[in-house]
Every structure is written in C-alpha cells, then in structure tokens.
Amino acid sequence: MDDVDRKILAELQQDGRLTVTELAERVRLSVSPCHRRLRALEHSGAIASYRAHLDAHALGFGFDALVFATMRDADRDTVDAFENAVAAIPHVLQAQRLFGDPDYLLRVVTRDLQAFQQLYDDRLATLPGVQRLSSTLVMKSVVDNRPLPL
C-alpha cells in the first residue's frame, strides 16, 4: 500500500458515495488507474464494505448503554454460545471480548430506558454462561465513527 492507496482510503472514509471519477480527481489519478487501485483495495480486504452511517438519535434510538459481561466459564462451547447469542441481538451494535475482568463489553442502543430494561431482562440477562452483568449509561459521545488513521 502506497500513499495514493492511503489517499483513496481516506477519501472513501469521508464519503463512500464518491464516483470513481470524483475519487480519481481528488487523488489526482486518471479514472482507469484509480479504478484498478480501488478494485485491488476491495479484493485485498482493505475495504471491507460500503454503507451509510445512520444517526441513532434521529431514528429514535436515544438510549445508549455499555454493558459489561463477566462469564461463569470460559470454555470454548460457552464462549461460542454466548457470542452467537449476542450476535443475534440487533440492538447490540458492538461486542468486544476483553482481556481480564469483565470478559465482554457490549454497546447497546434502544429507544428509551423502558426498552433497555426489557432487552436487559429478556435477552441480556439470559445470555449463556453469564455470571454477572453491569451497565453504565453513555452521557455523550465525544468521538464516534472516527476514520482510521492512515
């Protein structure tokens, strides 16, 4: 990956809807070489996908919580069952396995406190292998959806 590839990636992180022509202009390439580089970045996995970044608050998801999960057991079957169950919950926007205690950090959005309580009681508290859950509310996002430093 060279500086031109990094410029292509930086531009696409800012605006994934750029046409190849617009992208080529911004990185100072002709269209054909830009298109070849773009396809190579896609095939290499450097560009994983294209999608729109939606505003959760504008869509009515005003409640944002971080949920910490501590597992009872860390055997492969329990971990797999937990991770599969978490992946099946659409309100979990991020799930990260951590070193140390707690074992997992989940970012959860819902419409309001009542919806979070119901999700917590019905889905999160019943996740396989969980010993303890604790949660904290997000007051405000200071840095969100930041582009990768290239």
Side-chain angles (χ1 to χ4, degrees):
M1 181 176 304
D2 62 12
D3 287 342
V4 175
D5 288 337
R6 284 190 220 14
K7 287 178 187 175
I8 289 171
L9 294 172
E11 290 294 337
L12 288 174
Q13 282 190 108
Q14 294 301 317
D15 184 356
R17 294 186 65 179
L18 289 173
T19 66
V20 176
T21 303
E22 292 168 328
L23 182 59
E25 268 181 33
R26 290 187 185 193
V27 300
R28 301 188 188 279
L29 282 179
S30 61
V31 174
S32 292
C34 184
H35 190 257
R36 277 194 300 276
R37 284 175 175 265
L38 181 59
R39 292 292 170 243
L41 289 166
E42 291 168 348
H43 291 297
S44 74
I47 298 173
S49 67
Y50 296 92
R51 64 184 213 177
H53 178 72
L54 305 180
D55 185 319
H57 290 300
L59 295 170
F61 294 99
F63 195 86
D64 198 346
L66 301 175
V67 179
F68 301 94
T70 301
M71 303 300 289
R72 186 174 15 263
D73 299 306
D75 63 273
R76 176 55 35 206
D77 290 340
T78 303
V79 167
D80 286 346
F82 174 84
E83 290 179 1
N84 289 332
V86 165
I89 303 172
H91 289 84
V92 176
L93 299 186
Q94 291 178 305
Q96 299 169 320
R97 189 172 181 191
L98 309 173
F99 283 108
D101 185 37
D103 297 300
Y104 288 90
L105 169 61
L106 312 177
R107 181 170 171 233
V108 177
V109 296
T110 61
R111 296 201 177 279
D112 53 30
L113 175 61
Q114 183 178 355
F116 176 73
Q117 180 183 351
Q118 184 172 358
L119 178 72
Y120 190 97
D121 292 345
D122 296 348
R123 304 282 303 271
L124 301 176
T126 64
L127 288 167
V130 171
Q131 176 184 349
R132 182 178 71 250
L133 292 176
S134 63
S135 52
T136 188
L137 305 181
V138 175
M139 181 185 302
K140 91 178 182 185
S141 290
V142 178
V143 176
D144 191 28
N145 198 41
R146 174 181 278 166
L148 290 174
L150 298 172

